[in-house]
Amino acid sequence: VYKRQEPAPRRSVIFAAVTGEEKGLQGSSYFARNPPVLVEQLVANINIDMPYFGFEFSDIEAFGAEHSNMLAAVTEATAQLDMTLTPDPMPEEVRFVRSDQFSFVKEGIPAVAFKAGATASDPNVNADAILGEFLKNDYHRASDDLNLAFSPEAAQRFTRAALLLGLIVSDQDEKHRWNEGDFFGDKFSK
């Protein structure tokens, strides 16, 4: 999709599939410390790890977006696709620092964990119950397999949103930056 854009995105986009998240963010930590380009050229990280597609959703959760000017890009992408941007519904879980995007944050790179939300498009679907059951019974278990409920429409919707966010981020005039006085920016910016 990016390659066919006319005009081409203003910035290059690197797709990286990393492993070892549950073993201490090993793959993403290695990549963030040893990128294939100068680290100064990495302007942002969008982590799309572990979207849940058990139902059609109407919102997006973007953990960490509020820490940098990436929030504007996330807001634009969700608005263009008529989605709601939902604040982290479980801040006590501190998920922003528990997934691969945090490896980039530690290198001073603004990042976001971009997730399908927990609000169903159909008001008759109890998304909280479905997602809760998945997290309780299947997440990180052998039962997390292709026999679980799957919505192709949800997968397509999420893919469109993630691709659009990447295009917006790659085309923005200014380099992504931490918000003034932000804890992560103050602690990790080089």
Side-chain angles (χ1 to χ4, degrees):
V1 169
Y2 291 143
K3 192 164 181 73
R4 291 185 294 205
Q5 290 298 305
E6 290 293 334
R10 294 171 60 195
R11 293 187 178 92
S12 298
V13 177
I14 298 172
F15 289 89
V18 296
T19 60
E21 189 233 14
E22 288 81 7
K23 300 287 185 184
L25 309 179
Q26 291 179 353
S28 61
S29 292
Y30 181 85
F31 184 95
R33 287 191 315 265
N34 304 282
V37 297
L38 295 174
V39 72
E40 296 82 24
Q41 292 178 301
L42 297 178
V43 298
N45 171 259
I46 302 168
N47 179 9
I48 59 169
D49 176 39
M50 209 213 113
Y52 179 72
F53 301 139
F55 54 87
E56 287 186 58
F57 61 92
S58 62
D59 65 325
I60 289 289
E61 297 169 2
F63 308 133
E66 70 278 8
H67 296 288
S68 72
N69 65 345
M70 286 184 70
L71 179 59
V74 171
T75 302
E76 182 181 340
T78 54
Q80 281 190 37
L81 296 173
D82 198 28
M83 295 175 156
T84 302
L85 179 57
T86 300
D88 186 348
M90 297 182 282
E92 69 279 3
E93 295 285 328
V94 291
R95 293 185 286 178
F96 180 57
V97 300
R98 292 180 34 217
S99 193
D100 291 309
Q101 71 279 348
F102 194 56
S103 296
F104 294 86
V105 169
K106 290 191 292 188
E107 296 303 315
I109 301 163
V112 63
F114 198 69
K115 309 285 185 189
T119 303
S121 298
D122 180 346
N124 296 315
V125 171
N126 186 342
D128 285 333
I130 294 169
L131 192 53
E133 285 296 311
F134 167 74
L135 292 172
K136 178 182 173 188
N137 300 319
D138 300 305
Y139 179 60
H140 283 179
R141 292 194 163 84
S143 59
D144 187 358
D145 63 22
L146 296 176
N147 292 314
L148 294 177
F150 177 77
S151 167
E153 294 81 12
Q156 181 183 54
R157 187 168 172 87
F158 179 77
T159 301
R160 285 179 193 270
L163 285 169
L164 180 57
L165 175 60
L167 283 170
I168 292 168
V169 166
S170 67
D171 265 348
Q172 287 184 313
D173 290 333
E174 66 178 317
K175 185 176 178 178
H176 292 278
R177 59 178 163 61
W178 298 102
N179 294 333
E180 185 70 31
D182 183 78
F183 169 81
F184 296 103
D186 289 349
K187 180 160 180 67
F188 297 114
S189 287
K190 306 287 184 217

